[in-house]
């Protein structure tokens, strides 16, 4: 078995164990392979090992890999922060966007989603650890933002995404993810159609995220190895 296949099997075992511990069905947790900085060949190998959903952070890099891999039935997720001048390309070439944090971006994605495509799936990024350096809307801004995004025609508001402040303490990790789940529930009470997605948990904290209800874990390092810039 190649290292990549072995890594993916190990991540799957971690997801299954965490799901079992919290009595959740393992199929309720999607594995999103974060392929930023890795070449198209790595993605192709990950697909051969059974993964379909790929997450990328940088638009030009992602577009180059998409062009090389157009023969594969991959589902592309955009994870990076989006500037206004990038929305048109993101709207045309991705199925999911995880880091929307202001209405203007969501409006542009909706307007620029090409006719004939399914609505673009959107998660709102929340700055759950209230870090000055992090993007994401504040928990206080979320109700208004979610209600406005829900009204847009060509995007579908699916849920929330967070990147909490890193911590080695599982209880601390869980607290941030629990807060996110509570925010989702509170916000859902204000929406016509409830959100069904919690995009949370990465290589180092996916167990804590699954315990608190993650439906997408976004895993880079534990699948592809340590990124070298
Ligand atoms: C890079 C990245 C990940 C993956 O992180 P790992 O620690 O390598 O698993 C997940 N989510 C986002 C938004 C990222 O930028």
């Amino acid at each position: 078995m190649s290292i990549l296949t072995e890594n993916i099997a190990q991540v799957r075992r971690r997801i299954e164990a965490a799901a079992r511990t919290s009595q959740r069905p393992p199929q309720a947790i999607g594995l999103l392979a974060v392929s930023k900085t890795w070449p198209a060949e790595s993605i192709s190998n990950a697909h051969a090992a059974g993964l379909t959903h790929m997450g990328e952070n940088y638009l030009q890099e992602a577009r180059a890999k998409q062009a090389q891999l157009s023969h594969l039935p991959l589902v592309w997720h955009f994870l990076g922060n989006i500037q206004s001048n990038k929305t048109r390309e993101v709207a045309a070439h991705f199925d999911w966007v995880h880091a929307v944090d202001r209405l203007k971006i969501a409006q542009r994605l909706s307007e620029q989603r090409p006719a004939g495509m399914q609505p673009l799936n959107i998660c709102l990024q929340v700055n759950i650890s209230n870090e000055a350096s992090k993007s994401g809307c504040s928990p206080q801004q979320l109700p208004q933002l979610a209600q406005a995004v829900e009204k847009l025609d060509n995007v579908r508001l699916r849920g929330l995404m967070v990147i909490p402040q890193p911590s080695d303490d599982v209880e601390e990790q869980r607290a941030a993810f629990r807060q996110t789940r509570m925010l989702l529930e509170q916000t859902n009470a204000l929406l016509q159609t409830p959100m069904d997605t919690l995009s949370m948990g990465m290589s180092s904290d996916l167990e804590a995220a699954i315990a608190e209800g993650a439906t997408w874990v976004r895993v880079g390092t534990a699948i592809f190895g340590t990124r070298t810039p």
Side-chain angles (χ1 to χ4, degrees):
M1 249 205 286
S2 72
I3 289 182
L4 187 72
T5 312
E6 183 61 54
N7 285 351
I8 292 170
Q10 190 169 348
V11 170
R12 287 216 185 279
R13 284 195 294 272
R14 286 176 62 190
I15 292 172
E16 276 159 31
R20 205 175 312 119
T21 304
S22 44
Q23 297 179 317
R24 299 185 56 206
Q27 320 85 267
I29 300 133
L31 174 54
L32 173 52
V34 182
S35 44
K36 64 178 178 224
T37 77
W38 296 98
E41 191 193 357
S42 303
I43 299 176
S44 175
N45 291 338
H47 176 261
L51 299 185
T52 311
H53 291 266
M54 301 296 154
E56 289 279 342
N57 292 56
Y58 310 105
L59 184 59
Q60 295 324 313
E61 179 192 333
R63 294 287 296 124
K65 290 184 236 180
Q66 287 175 339
Q68 290 175 271
L69 297 167
S70 59
H71 56 291
L72 295 180
L74 298 171
V75 181
W76 294 94
H77 296 239
F78 194 76
L79 305 180
N81 299 118
I82 311 179
Q83 291 119 341
S84 292
N85 63 351
K86 302 283 169 65
T87 51
R88 186 175 298 280
E89 250 189 303
V90 171
H93 298 289
F94 289 83
D95 298 285
W96 284 75
V97 177
H98 286 242
V100 173
D101 62 1
R102 48 206 162 102
L103 181 58
K104 183 182 169 200
I105 297 297
Q107 282 169 332
R108 291 177 65 95
L109 290 170
S110 179
E111 281 161 19
Q112 295 168 343
R113 183 69 166 169
M117 289 180 89
Q118 294 282 101
L120 181 63
N121 295 299
I122 282 193
C123 293
L124 301 177
Q125 184 179 0
V126 182
N127 186 357
I128 199 70
S129 306
N130 197 16
E131 292 171 88
S133 60
K134 277 271 170 65
S135 43
C137 74
S138 69
Q140 292 73 26
Q141 291 168 320
L142 178 63
Q144 218 184 350
L145 178 60
Q147 286 175 290
V149 171
E150 188 187 31
K151 296 197 179 80
L152 300 172
D153 285 330
N154 302 318
V155 299
R156 182 156 164 228
L157 178 59
R158 294 298 300 270
L160 305 182
M161 186 276 246
V162 291
I163 311 172
Q165 199 161 42
S167 164
D168 293 333
D169 182 89
V170 178
E171 280 313 313
E172 253 174 46
Q173 295 172 0
R174 281 188 64 160
F177 294 134
R178 187 176 317 129
Q179 246 185 300
T180 309
R181 173 166 48 83
M182 285 162 51
L183 272 177
L184 180 100
E185 287 165 8
Q186 289 160 13
T187 310
N188 273 347
L190 307 170
L191 299 176
Q192 306 284 326
T193 310
M195 299 181 281
D196 60 6
T197 299
L198 283 168
S199 169
M200 57 190 199
M202 314 197 291
S203 293
S204 58
D205 57 10
L206 66 89
E207 283 86 358
I210 290 169
E212 299 297 343
T215 62
W216 280 122
V217 290
R218 309 180 309 266
V219 181
T221 308
I223 292 176
F224 296 106
T226 305
R227 290 179 291 273
T228 45

